[in-house]
Amino acid sequence: MEKAINSLILALMQADAGAPDWLHILPAAEFTGADGRGPYAKPDNEALIALFNKEGLRLPVDENHSTDLAGKKGFPSPARGWIVELQSRADGLWGRVEWTDEGDKIVAGKSYGYLSPVFLHGQTKPFKVAKMLRVALTNDPNLPFLKSLHSKEEASMLEQLRKALGLPDTADETAVMAAVTAAHTAQTARAALMARVAEAAGVAADTAPDALVTAIQSRGKVSATDAENADLKTQLISLQSQFTTLSTNTARDRAETVIGAAVEAGKVVPALKDHMIARHMKNPTEVEAEIKLMPSLNSGGLGGRKLPESGDITTAEDDKVMSMMGLDAKAFGDTAKALHGKGN
């Protein structure tokens, strides 16, 4: 097992990352574009995530802003991927992307190296980012400080190690290294114990654990004393139990993270949280595939949005949106009245 971990880390250091699962779409602090546009205020990631979850719409990933340039003229502007989840991290806003077949091919093939986000913003400097719209693949980024698609920095390595070790996406460098250390310590102890057991049983050093137990049981007394054999067998069973416990704890941590996020997004009702965690621990792939297809419980209704007070046309939330977008309150109210009149 020690060789397996070492080989994994070496392979991760040497191999290309391919098409990433997460895209860095906004920085963590106030920023200005390379073309001089801005400055933009430090993004309010939590507000952007809440709006994204409330609307329940995926964000397209296109090529060179084809949605805004070609699409609006009636030309094809296919999505090469869809952002289905937003996440706030220390270095900014990240989006989890589900690539189309063509998108996976062109990104893994390194046809593009950078990203260019598209968003709505307010009218007063520093402009406040009000809503994420989409992201474009590009080779001429206006925000070159975002992580590139094929970055070989430590963050990319940590992302791959999280997957290999079965850790949640929120696990930081400390948590990842702790898991690597624990795995390395366990595999070293296991290798030493297996060597002793194999020698005592008179079988090859690479014999599987179950086969070793069978060999010990079938041989009865071997070259070592009965007491030593019993001790070795007890240690072997104990080590297998430790591995099972470690695997269970890792599975539970990931299950709680994934299902907790689904509850926050309104895809799983709180009453089913424990049930879904138990299911995820048994079959994470099946449960995560189901969650991707689940609509948000808030998307078909008010989603926590308060109705206007009696006699009002707009709500406090409407006023915040108008302020961020730089809209005229009177014009907005007149339009709302007209729409209410048509609906009556």
Side-chain angles (χ1 to χ4, degrees):
M1 188 173 179
E2 180 178 5
K3 292 182 178 179
I5 287 289
N6 291 338
S7 297
L8 169 64
I9 295 176
L10 180 61
L12 289 174
M13 295 175 64
Q14 295 177 339
D16 291 330
D21 293 329
W22 288 87
L23 305 178
H24 188 197
I25 58 180
L26 282 181
E30 182 175 304
F31 62 99
T32 299
D35 62 1
R37 280 182 290 174
Y40 300 97
K42 175 182 177 180
D44 185 346
N45 289 349
E46 298 305 323
L48 294 172
I49 293 172
L51 181 59
F52 171 82
N53 291 336
K54 177 181 177 181
E55 294 186 339
L57 299 176
R58 302 179 301 171
L59 307 182
V61 180
D62 60 21
E63 295 181 72
N64 290 314
H65 299 290
S66 61
T67 301
D68 299 288
L69 301 177
K72 292 182 179 180
K73 295 181 179 179
F75 295 104
S77 55
R80 299 308 185 191
W82 296 94
I83 292 178
V84 298
E85 179 185 352
L86 294 181
Q87 186 180 93
S88 179
R89 299 184 184 177
D91 55 357
L93 186 66
W94 289 72
R96 183 168 65 84
V97 60
E98 292 181 353
W99 297 105
T100 63
D101 290 342
E102 183 64 21
D104 184 76
K105 179 180 178 181
I106 62 177
V107 174
K110 298 188 177 181
S111 295
Y112 293 97
Y114 304 94
L115 296 168
S116 180
V118 180
F119 49 82
L120 296 178
H121 60 78
Q123 300 298 310
T124 304
K125 293 184 178 181
F127 304 121
K128 182 176 181 180
V129 179
K131 179 180 178 180
M132 294 304 305
L133 297 179
R134 51 195 155 268
V135 180
L137 302 173
T138 183
N139 288 323
D140 184 23
N142 191 39
L143 304 181
F145 38 78
L146 297 177
K147 297 290 185 183
S148 70
L149 287 168
H150 306 290
S151 172
K152 292 187 179 299
E153 297 180 16
E154 184 179 353
S156 177
M157 174 65 70
L158 288 176
E159 180 178 339
Q160 295 177 71
L161 283 172
R162 288 188 192 102
K163 291 181 181 179
L165 294 167
L167 298 175
D169 296 320
T170 53
D172 58 16
E173 180 180 356
T174 301
V176 171
M177 294 311 299
V180 170
T181 300
H184 183 269
T185 300
Q187 71 195 11
T188 300
R190 179 178 182 272
L193 176 60
M194 295 294 283
R196 292 177 61 199
V197 173
E199 180 181 2
V203 297
D206 59 354
T207 301
D210 289 343
L212 272 178
V213 174
T214 301
I216 292 173
Q217 292 174 335
S218 64
R219 289 176 64 89
K221 185 177 181 179
V222 292
S223 57
T225 65
D226 288 337
E228 183 179 1
N229 284 335
D231 179 59
L232 290 174
K233 183 177 179 180
T234 299
Q235 291 184 53
L236 179 60
I237 294 174
S238 174
L239 186 58
Q240 289 176 321
S241 176
Q242 292 176 39
F243 271 98
T244 300
T245 300
L246 177 62
S247 176
T248 300
N249 290 341
T250 300
R252 176 171 292 279
D253 288 343
R254 178 166 181 80
E256 290 178 345
T257 298
V258 172
I259 302 305
V263 171
E264 289 293 327
K267 291 190 173 186
V268 174
V269 296
L272 293 178
K273 182 177 180 180
D274 290 341
H275 169 72
M276 293 297 288
I277 288 175
R279 283 193 57 209
H280 188 284
M281 290 177 65
K282 294 180 179 178
N283 194 333
T285 300
E286 178 183 84
V287 172
E288 290 183 22
E290 289 179 6
I291 290 175
K292 288 181 182 179
L293 299 176
M294 290 178 179
S296 172
L297 298 177
N298 296 330
S299 62
L302 292 174
R305 182 177 183 271
K306 296 181 179 180
L307 291 171
E309 298 292 337
S310 176
D312 292 337
I313 296 299
T314 60
T315 67
E317 293 178 19
D318 293 329
D319 293 337
K320 290 181 180 179
V321 172
M322 285 187 287
S323 175
M324 289 189 295
M325 300 295 293
L327 298 177
D328 180 75
K330 184 178 184 305
F332 187 95
D334 291 341
T335 301
K337 289 181 180 179
L339 292 175
H340 279 285
K342 290 181 180 181
N344 291 335

